[in-house]
Amino acid sequence: MNATVLGSVSLGYRPLWDRRRALSAVQLFIETRPDTAVDAAHLLAALQEQGDASTPPWLLSPKSPELLRDLLDQASSSRHWIEVRGDWLQAPAISDRVQRAHRRGLRMVWRGEADLLPGGALERCFFTHLLYLSPQAALSALQTAARKRAGAQGALHSPVQAGQMYEGIASRLLMEHCLDQQNAAALLGWPDEDILYALQHKATGPDRQAVLQMIRAVDEDRSTEHIEALLCAEPILTFRFLAYANSASVGLRNTIESVRHGLMMLGLQALRRWLYEILPGASSDPNLRPVKASIVLRAKLMEHLMHAGAEQELSREIYLCGLFSQIDVLMGEPLGTALHRVPLSSRIYAATLHGSGPYAPLLQIACALENGHGTATRALCHQLGMPLEDVNRALLRTLAALKLAA
């Protein structure tokens, strides 16, 4: 991987979620410094090295028309897509390149307001669109959604089109209208706040599918490593397990601060009994899965940022720091209250509650990458003494390890 090019751009990401509430693609922001020229060919080569056919495609989203022009000139057919903003497409320097890139087989996504789709020859250059609804269109879609829910008969028109991708969907009702009623292909971002609002001041249970998957893994006598990975892929399940392992009812002599330690001390049969005990209270709400998956993604990113390597205990601790950094929104209580219900390393408490200690920089960088604000990421890297190249490498490794749902 070319070292120079990854040190001259700022990356960021946002997931795209499909109708199954599973990850379908990842938007990868690419921002350049105003005074820095980027070798687009080397950048594309660096990105193409990552992942394989099972990795979700990346929607490459350049933050400047100059970088877009370079990418369109250099890119060839690949599993990744390139975003073309509708307002930039008006310039001949962009539209001509789009048509040439289309002839080379490049997969491009038009991004803009749903009412302003391109026409003519340009329309055929894009295999799909990433659309946002105007306030009027969003209101019309919400009204249609409400009428459909009420069982209204007759023709119901919605501005949401089947097979398209949408962004800026901030309400649960509109999200369900897009994905479930209108068969939109995916949503960029997720209406976390509206979904979690209904859970204010009360905890949600672990995902029912995750609990059943754990039970099957135990029944099939899968390895401890496999069971640990399943357990740690669900934040509430991880939190509840650590609380259980340290409860008086279990009666272990030593404090359990890690999932691996808890599994070794409890044994699989005790784990199986506990899983069946919590199964009736598990959540079947699929809309919570993207919320939890995003938290897991943050935890994985923090692992890669640390370069923990062979230090498995350190790696697990950093992962827990990221996994529990938003546990308050799932537990329905203040973060400090929730975290002090389980014994954790003082380094985790320091990073999540006070923004201090050795893990705080990793958490701050991980949060910045979620927003795609390159200037903020560069400023944090400078402030914290973390090379931008290393941060970008960590993000790409994290995204390359993701897999499409079967």
Side-chain angles (χ1 to χ4, degrees):
M1 186 180 294
N2 186 283
T4 303
V5 72
L6 286 181
S8 60
V9 297
S10 299
L11 303 179
Y13 74 96
R14 281 196 301 176
L16 287 105
W17 307 101
D18 64 18
R19 291 189 289 273
R20 299 170 298 169
R21 280 54 171 176
L23 185 69
S24 64
V26 178
Q27 182 184 37
L28 186 68
F29 298 105
I30 309 173
E31 184 173 328
T32 59
R33 298 174 182 171
D35 58 344
T36 304
V38 173
D39 188 322
H42 284 160
L43 175 60
L44 289 165
L47 299 178
Q48 190 64 24
E49 290 175 4
Q50 304 298 308
D52 54 34
S54 65
T55 304
W58 298 347
L59 173 60
L60 308 184
S61 299
K63 289 290 193 75
S64 71
E66 293 78 17
L67 179 58
L68 174 60
R69 289 199 300 264
D70 292 343
L71 293 177
L72 291 174
D73 283 339
Q74 298 294 333
S76 58
S77 179
S78 75
R79 66 179 180 277
H80 298 318
W81 313 331
I82 290 184
E83 170 198 304
V84 178
R85 285 175 42 172
D87 52 341
W88 293 350
L89 188 59
Q90 306 304 316
I94 298 292
S95 59
D96 292 347
R97 284 174 167 85
V98 163
Q99 295 182 71
R100 289 197 296 269
H102 173 64
R103 290 193 288 269
R104 298 198 309 272
L106 188 64
R107 291 170 67 80
M108 291 174 288
V109 177
W110 185 90
R111 182 184 183 190
E113 188 174 329
D115 296 333
L116 302 174
L117 287 170
L122 285 174
E123 167 61 19
R124 296 189 292 273
C125 295
F126 301 99
F127 83 96
T128 191
H129 309 94
L130 175 58
L131 308 174
Y132 63 87
L133 300 172
S134 67
Q136 296 79 8
L139 177 59
S140 175
L142 283 169
Q143 291 171 338
T144 303
R147 292 180 63 194
K148 284 191 173 185
R149 279 196 168 190
Q153 301 298 315
L156 297 175
H157 173 73
S158 171
V160 178
Q161 305 172 43
Q164 304 295 340
M165 303 187 297
Y166 287 86
E167 65 173 319
I169 304 301
S171 78
R172 178 174 185 155
L173 179 59
L174 189 52
M175 172 271 292
E176 292 176 341
H177 175 67
C178 290
L179 294 178
D180 303 329
Q181 295 179 343
Q182 297 299 115
N183 294 318
L187 297 186
L188 176 62
W190 196 248
D192 298 38
E193 291 185 5
D194 194 46
I195 289 169
L196 292 168
Y197 180 79
L199 301 174
Q200 281 187 321
H201 310 305
K202 59 182 179 181
T204 179
D207 186 75
R208 182 178 179 83
Q209 285 188 7
V211 177
L212 291 173
Q213 192 175 21
M214 286 279 296
I215 291 173
R216 285 195 296 271
V218 172
D219 289 344
E220 293 170 1
D221 198 26
R222 302 296 293 270
S223 68
T224 302
E225 291 77 12
H226 179 78
I227 291 172
E228 180 186 16
L230 291 178
L231 182 53
C232 290
E234 216 289 358
I236 292 295
L237 193 58
T238 308
F239 187 87
R240 293 274 296 272
F241 174 77
L242 287 177
Y244 169 70
N246 287 281
S247 65
S249 62
V250 174
L252 297 178
R253 293 183 179 181
N254 299 321
T255 300
I256 305 297
E257 292 187 359
S258 74
V259 171
R260 171 60 65 90
H261 188 200
L263 290 174
M264 299 300 291
M265 295 299 295
L266 285 174
L268 293 185
Q269 290 310 308
L271 173 65
R272 187 177 186 276
R273 287 194 297 271
W274 174 72
L275 290 169
Y276 271 108
E277 288 173 5
I278 67 171
L279 184 59
S283 170
S284 297
D285 184 358
N287 293 329
L288 284 169
R289 290 173 192 154
V291 179
K292 295 177 180 180
S294 295
I295 295 173
V296 170
L297 187 52
R298 175 188 291 185
K300 291 179 177 178
L301 178 53
M302 287 182 64
E303 272 191 301
H304 284 291
L305 284 168
M306 175 54 94
H307 300 296
E311 298 292 335
Q312 291 298 316
E313 288 303 317
L314 175 62
S315 178
R316 293 186 180 102
E317 189 172 293
I318 294 166
Y319 184 90
L320 280 184
C321 183
L323 197 68
F324 291 165
S325 62
Q326 293 178 287
I327 201 67
D328 54 323
V329 301
L330 298 175
M331 296 302 296
E333 58 187 7
L335 183 59
T337 303
L339 289 179
H340 282 99
R341 290 173 54 192
V342 293
L344 298 169
S345 159
S346 61
R347 293 179 287 270
I348 295 179
Y349 292 127
T352 54
L353 296 177
H354 308 298
S356 61
Y359 300 162
L362 309 179
L363 182 56
Q364 293 169 20
I365 290 288
C367 292
L369 291 172
E370 294 169 3
N371 298 317
H373 298 313
T375 302
T377 301
R378 288 195 298 271
L380 269 174
C381 287
H382 178 75
Q383 174 188 341
L384 301 171
M386 297 182 68
L388 183 59
E389 178 188 347
D390 291 350
V391 169
N392 287 334
R393 285 177 180 272
L395 174 59
L396 295 180
R397 283 195 297 267
T398 303
L399 299 181
L402 298 174
K403 300 300 178 186
L404 287 166

